[in-house]
Amino acid sequence: SGAAKAFSSAPAVGLSLARRRGLGKVGLTVSLGALVVTAFTGAHKRGPSRALHLASGAALVGFSLWHHALYGKPAAKTRENDL
């Protein structure tokens, strides 16, 4: 979609596509880890753990969208490619 294309071409001065993909995966891993840890340390209560839990959940969604945008649609197969 147009939004995904614009999102993937966000300012990333000096970073290769492979580097951006790697950073996206690291972001996914860290935000998911924070989400799991805060879930077990009292995210149901008010306080910093809950705020961190909500922020890491939002970060996970953001990194998921970014990760998805970095991987474009695969090239359409044509008869020439099959030869």
Side-chain angles (χ1 to χ4, degrees):
S1 73
K5 188 173 183 180
F7 191 59
S8 66
S9 61
V13 178
L15 295 178
S16 68
L17 179 59
R19 181 75 172 145
R20 286 183 284 164
R21 286 178 174 176
L23 290 173
K25 290 175 186 176
V26 169
L28 282 168
T29 303
V30 170
S31 60
L32 181 60
L35 193 65
V36 169
V37 168
T38 56
F40 287 116
T41 59
H44 60 281
K45 301 174 186 173
R46 299 278 179 209
S49 181
R50 180 179 175 96
L52 183 58
H53 185 74
L54 293 174
S56 59
L60 182 63
V61 170
F63 280 117
S64 297
L65 290 172
W66 187 38
H67 178 75
H68 175 72
L70 288 173
Y71 289 87
K73 290 183 179 179
K77 286 190 175 183
T78 63
R79 187 137 176 96
E80 290 177 17
N81 290 343
D82 292 337
L83 297 177

